[in-house]
């Protein structure tokens, strides 16, 4: 395991943990100063491929998730790059001056190809750099890291929009017995995925306060 500082856009410097095995997650969390055990929200869904008309409900959904994290004191875990829902949750955190930890999980080979400042979202507070060579390699790690942070506390996965990789994200969360809220009306996978077991739907057309209260019952 290696703890290092990473320089991002606008002069932002964040702490990141390079890990190579599950056994290093706990130590990395301690070294990064992340609170644990604690409530966790795993945010998965659209990165690229979000249509113009899908951006508006996506922004509404992510804004509600940011508010949920702030009010419940949750740690949010996502893919951490400058794309789609990950950029939006970072923007919402900064815009509203929220203080919840926002943790990005990215495969380390990506940062060997391009500068971190061109890839990682500067409004995230911490990063895990994990083994992998391609998009989707982070899915299992996001779920594992979230489970270690949560410990015995509650955790929730929220799907907003999403594509092929997001389906894997949901599957890994279900393997960890983590319930998944699907925000219908945000497009693509979120509007298509089958509701089974621990997967339940919330319509994004509802009032934000109503959605927020429904999600709070799961945390």
């Amino acid at each position: 395991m290696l703890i290092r500082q990473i320089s991002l856009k606008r002069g932002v410097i964040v702490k990141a943990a390079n890990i190579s095995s599950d056994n290093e997650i706990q130590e990395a969390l301690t070294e990064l100063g992340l609170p644990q055990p604690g409530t966790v929200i795993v945010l998965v869904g659209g990165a690229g491929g979000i249509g113009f008309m899908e951006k508006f409900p996506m922004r509404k959904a992510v804004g509600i998730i940011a508010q949920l994290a702030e009010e419940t004191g949750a740690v949010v875990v996502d893919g951490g790059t400058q794309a789609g829902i990950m950029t939006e949750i970072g923007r919402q955190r900064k815009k509203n001056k929220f203080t919840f930890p926002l943790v990005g999980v990215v495969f380390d080979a990506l940062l060997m190809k391009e500068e971190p400042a061109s890839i990682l979202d500067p409004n995230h507070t911490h990063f895990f750099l994990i083994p992998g060579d391609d998009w989707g390699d982070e899915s299992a790690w996001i779920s594992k890291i979230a489970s270690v942070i949560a410990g015995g506390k509650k955790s929730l996965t929220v799907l907003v929009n999403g594509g092929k990789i997001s389906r894997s994200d949901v599957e890994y969360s279900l393997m960890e017995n983590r319930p998944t809220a699907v925000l219908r009306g945000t497009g693509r996978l979120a509007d298509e995925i089958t509701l089974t077991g621990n997967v339940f739907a919330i319509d994004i057309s509802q009032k934000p306060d109503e959605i927020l209260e429904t999600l709070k019952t799961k945390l």
Side-chain angles (χ1 to χ4, degrees):
M1 185 193 71
L2 173 67
I3 302 294
R4 60 190 177 111
Q5 307 274 354
I6 297 181
S7 297
L8 302 179
K9 287 181 177 178
R10 300 190 299 274
V12 171
I13 298 176
V14 297
K15 289 180 76 172
N18 278 82
I19 60 173
S20 57
S21 74
D22 297 4
N23 296 333
E24 295 177 324
I25 295 174
Q26 182 66 61
E27 182 183 356
L29 290 170
T30 301
E31 291 293 326
L32 291 174
L34 285 162
Q36 52 178 302
T39 305
V40 180
I41 300 168
V42 179
L43 175 61
V44 300
I50 299 175
F52 178 76
M53 295 303 293
E54 295 169 345
K55 288 183 180 179
F56 300 99
M58 179 274 284
R59 288 170 181 158
K60 175 183 177 180
V62 174
I64 293 168
I65 296 161
Q67 186 71 38
L68 175 68
E70 189 70 7
E71 292 188 13
T72 59
V75 176
V76 177
V77 183
D78 68 8
T81 58
Q82 296 174 37
I85 60 168
M86 297 165 286
T87 296
E88 185 62 25
I89 189 76
R91 190 183 74 82
Q92 292 280 352
R93 184 183 185 279
K94 181 180 180 182
K95 172 188 172 185
N96 294 292
K97 298 181 180 178
F98 289 156
T99 59
F100 63 85
L102 181 52
V103 182
V105 181
V106 183
F107 61 96
D108 54 9
L110 183 62
L111 303 188
M112 297 177 188
K113 301 172 185 175
E114 299 187 50
E115 287 293 322
S118 69
I119 295 293
L120 304 182
D121 178 69
N123 294 315
H124 280 59
T125 60
H126 305 80
F127 286 91
F128 274 83
L129 306 179
I130 50 87
D133 299 301
D134 205 355
W135 301 109
D137 289 346
E138 71 279 5
S139 294
W141 287 94
I142 288 174
S143 191
K144 291 175 189 174
I145 290 166
S147 292
V148 176
I149 295 172
K153 302 281 187 176
K154 289 188 176 181
S155 62
L156 173 70
T157 293
V158 183
L159 172 65
V160 179
N161 192 269
K164 183 179 179 180
I165 293 173
S166 302
R167 189 177 294 277
S168 293
D169 291 329
V170 171
E171 289 171 354
Y172 278 115
S173 275
L174 294 177
M175 287 169 63
E176 296 283 335
N177 296 314
R178 182 177 300 112
T180 296
V182 176
L183 292 185
R184 295 284 206 220
T186 58
R188 300 198 298 160
L189 182 62
D191 292 352
E192 302 164 3
I193 193 168
T194 302
L195 304 179
T196 59
N198 255 353
V199 183
F200 63 97
I202 300 173
D203 196 321
I204 195 62
S205 66
Q206 294 182 56
K207 293 179 180 179
D209 286 350
E210 293 175 352
I211 297 173
L212 185 63
E213 289 307 312
T214 299
L215 291 172
K216 277 184 179 178
T217 65
K218 304 296 182 178
L219 288 173

